[in-house]
Amino acid sequence: MLTYSDKVILAPMVRIGTLPFRLLCLDYGADIVYSEEIIDFKILHSKRIKNEVLGTIDYVAPDGTIIFRTCSAEKDKVVFQMGTCDAKRALKVAKIIEDDVAGIDVNMGCPKEFSIKGGMGAALLEQPEKVREILTTLVNGIKKPVTCKIRILPNLEETLNLVKIIESTGVKALAVHGRIRTQRSSQPCNYDVISEISKSISIPVIANGGSLDVKSFDEIERFRKNTCCSSVMLARAAEWNPSVFRRQGLLSTQNEIKDYLTYALMFDHNFPGTKYCICQLMHKSLDTDDGQKLLASKTFDELCEIFGMKSQLNQVVEKRRRKLGEIEEEIEKSIGYAEKRRKTDGFICKNIKFNKHDFPKTITPKMILFEHTRKSNLPPPKYTTETNSDRLFKSVLTVDGRKYGTLTWEKSKQATEQAAAMVYLKHHGLSDGKKIK
């Protein structure tokens, strides 16, 4: 069971606290890592998928977007931070995700407008009874430890009253950002208020907000002592320099970038998110040649060229292709008798799905296939599509008298036709135009 005393912790940060960065911080010495805040509705509307290719557990939105990705390497150390304003909905989400994480945290301190308007984050600080209801419901409803993260209130007495309510719910720890809702990171952190909170309650208090004063591991301990807290949580200090968690000392920015990029490639992190994290690591040197190349980069190929990691990119892509091939072979072995008969009758069938986000806006498998048949003097591709009772579609593609298709039904006619074109291109060893990640 996860405990929160004497720990150094990666704070929840939007766009930063994804799987590659969390693993990097664990490698460098962080004891616990928090996910970025994820709104409860997003998990409720997503599907949990075991990603055999990456060895991850993915929570995937209907449009294919990865909402949350985790893996066994962090299972005992990752805390899922939830944005919520409803106790029943929060419990539903926690029950869905608790077996994949070490703990659940409720964001009760985010000052951003989207959180406040939704009644989440810092908006909850003014609703102590709702705070009590949400936390009590979670504590009583799940097996994993529950925590929450707050900002301080303008009045010390009100702050202390709130934290005592939080303590009474049975949460295992409380993270406190030492600024009020309207204060920003450029303003001093109120160490004295965090210290008063720590002295007033018996559960572990995690100090947050001291990144401006933390530039090395030794200064983490100074921050902890100055706030009289059990543990320390770092946001910007880690965002700009994750090796701040290293007891052995800081690493160069170049080494941090290469270590981070290795995880981003390994776990197929999206390009915009990867680029954003590296920009934060290089925030003081974006005016250099490499910094300008980074800002101008548009693909992983360009990104890896800047940092001398093209060979790693190629290795990852090849390994992923081999793994996909192995999985497809296993799936094809398990195809039912009817599908096997279709194959023996000349029907080429593969387990392929089309995701438009995997392709450039101007290139599709159907376009590539049409151009291929034209150059090869073959008749134009012909698509025959059927619909089932669930209003799903499956398309059969005919090229030069031979049929091609997929094992799965799609939500749109366009998607199933694109998938069928991908089957043809893959079967004939041709590129389907998919972006290299």
Side-chain angles (χ1 to χ4, degrees):
M1 180 72 73
L2 194 64
T3 60
Y4 293 87
S5 295
D6 300 316
K7 299 292 192 295
V8 287
I9 302 169
L10 174 69
M13 290 181 283
V14 174
R15 299 186 71 185
I16 297 293
T18 53
L19 180 60
F21 199 82
R22 297 196 304 264
L23 292 175
L24 179 69
C25 291
L26 287 173
D27 280 354
Y28 288 165
D31 297 307
I32 301 172
V33 289
Y34 277 52
S35 75
E36 60 180 335
E37 178 195 19
I38 297 175
I39 307 304
D40 50 14
F41 278 118
K42 290 190 176 183
I43 294 296
L44 290 177
H45 295 158
S46 68
K47 182 178 181 181
R48 181 185 185 275
I49 295 174
K50 188 175 182 181
N51 190 324
E52 300 285 357
V53 176
L54 301 179
T56 59
I57 298 297
D58 299 344
Y59 287 81
V60 185
D63 66 357
T65 302
I66 304 297
I67 303 300
F68 177 64
R69 170 170 283 165
T70 185
C71 69
S72 59
E74 66 167 6
K75 186 174 181 179
D76 297 331
K77 297 179 179 180
V78 63
V79 174
F80 177 84
Q81 192 189 61
M82 183 193 319
T84 188
C85 62
D86 183 272
K88 291 181 180 178
R89 195 162 63 237
L91 182 59
K92 286 182 181 179
V93 171
K95 283 183 172 293
I96 289 170
I97 208 159
E98 69 170 319
D99 288 339
D100 293 320
V101 298
I104 303 289
D105 182 81
V106 181
N107 185 341
M108 295 185 170
C110 179
K112 298 293 178 63
E113 187 176 0
F114 80 90
S115 282
I116 301 297
K117 282 187 175 181
M120 302 177 292
L124 292 169
L125 298 176
E126 300 169 2
Q127 304 176 71
E129 288 310 310
K130 181 169 279 191
V131 168
R132 188 196 305 273
E133 181 190 11
I134 291 172
L135 295 177
T136 302
T137 300
L138 288 172
V139 169
N140 293 336
I142 64 173
K143 304 183 296 290
K144 295 294 173 67
V146 176
T147 59
C148 73
K149 183 172 183 289
I150 67 168
R151 283 188 170 230
I152 61 175
L153 295 168
N155 180 282
L156 176 60
E157 183 179 356
E158 290 178 356
T159 301
L160 295 180
N161 288 338
L162 177 64
V163 301
K164 287 174 183 176
I165 288 173
I166 291 171
E167 179 187 29
S168 72
T169 65
V171 295
K172 296 299 183 184
L174 169 65
V176 180
H177 184 123
R179 294 182 179 87
I180 64 173
R181 172 174 158 180
T182 56
Q183 288 180 317
R184 293 298 174 258
S185 59
S186 58
Q187 297 171 277
C189 178
N190 295 281
Y191 286 17
D192 55 337
V193 178
I194 301 178
S195 179
E196 288 298 321
I197 292 171
S198 185
K199 294 172 184 176
S200 71
I201 58 178
S202 59
I203 59 174
V205 174
I206 305 166
N208 177 230
S211 285
L212 292 179
D213 300 322
V214 175
K215 302 293 188 295
S216 67
F217 186 83
D218 290 341
E219 290 172 343
I220 296 177
E221 177 59 16
R222 188 177 305 139
F223 178 41
R224 188 188 70 77
K225 288 181 178 179
N226 288 340
T227 54
C228 301
C229 282
S230 297
S231 298
V232 168
M233 174 181 279
L234 299 180
R236 289 181 186 271
E239 175 183 358
W240 292 335
N241 197 349
S243 63
V244 71
F245 290 115
R246 292 183 82 248
R247 289 162 174 79
Q248 309 94 316
L250 298 174
L251 295 173
S252 69
T253 300
Q254 192 78 4
N255 282 341
E256 291 177 337
I257 291 172
K258 288 186 175 183
D259 289 345
Y260 168 73
L261 191 48
T262 297
Y263 274 130
L265 295 174
M266 184 185 304
F267 289 102
D268 197 21
H269 193 45
N270 64 78
F271 175 77
T274 301
K275 179 178 175 179
Y276 178 81
C277 278
I278 295 176
C279 283
Q280 304 316 303
L281 295 175
M282 290 188 68
H283 70 286
K284 289 185 177 179
S285 54
L286 289 174
D287 57 348
T288 62
D289 287 345
D290 282 351
Q292 291 301 299
K293 289 177 184 176
L294 169 64
L295 293 173
S297 65
K298 296 180 179 179
T299 65
F300 270 111
D301 199 58
E302 294 173 355
L303 201 56
C304 290
E305 181 72 38
I306 297 168
F307 301 106
M309 295 186 65
K310 285 289 292 291
S311 62
Q312 287 93 325
L313 173 62
N314 293 336
Q315 289 170 12
V316 167
V317 171
E318 182 56 34
K319 182 178 179 181
R320 199 169 293 154
R321 283 174 179 162
R322 286 199 304 269
K323 185 66 176 178
L324 276 169
E326 292 170 5
I327 291 171
E328 286 177 358
E329 285 181 15
E330 290 300 315
I331 291 172
E332 290 186 1
K333 287 177 184 177
S334 65
I335 297 171
Y337 177 70
E339 294 290 358
K340 288 183 179 178
R341 282 197 58 187
R342 291 174 74 187
K343 288 188 74 175
T344 58
D345 291 339
F347 191 107
I348 306 302
C349 205
K350 291 184 179 292
N351 186 56
I352 288 178
K353 289 183 73 68
F354 172 77
N355 184 345
K356 66 180 181 180
H357 300 290
D358 292 337
F359 295 84
K361 292 182 179 180
T362 56
I363 300 175
T364 67
K366 286 181 67 175
M367 292 168 56
I368 293 174
L369 174 57
F370 182 82
E371 185 64 17
H372 167 73
T373 55
R374 187 185 66 80
K375 288 183 178 179
S376 302
N377 295 317
L378 296 172
K382 180 181 178 182
Y383 299 88
T384 305
T385 304
E386 58 179 308
T387 308
N388 67 10
S389 59
D390 294 323
R391 303 174 110 183
L392 298 175
F393 301 86
K394 185 184 285 188
S395 186
V396 174
L397 163 69
T398 303
V399 178
D400 198 23
R402 199 164 191 184
K403 298 182 185 299
Y404 304 82
T406 69
L407 300 175
T408 56
W409 295 83
E410 295 279 2
K411 292 182 179 180
S412 72
K413 180 180 177 183
Q414 180 72 318
T416 191
E417 290 181 355
Q418 296 286 7
M422 290 171 70
V423 172
Y424 177 94
L425 295 168
K426 189 171 185 65
H427 180 74
H428 290 277
L430 301 170
S431 169
D432 58 13
K434 186 180 292 186
K435 293 182 288 189
I436 295 177
K437 296 183 178 181

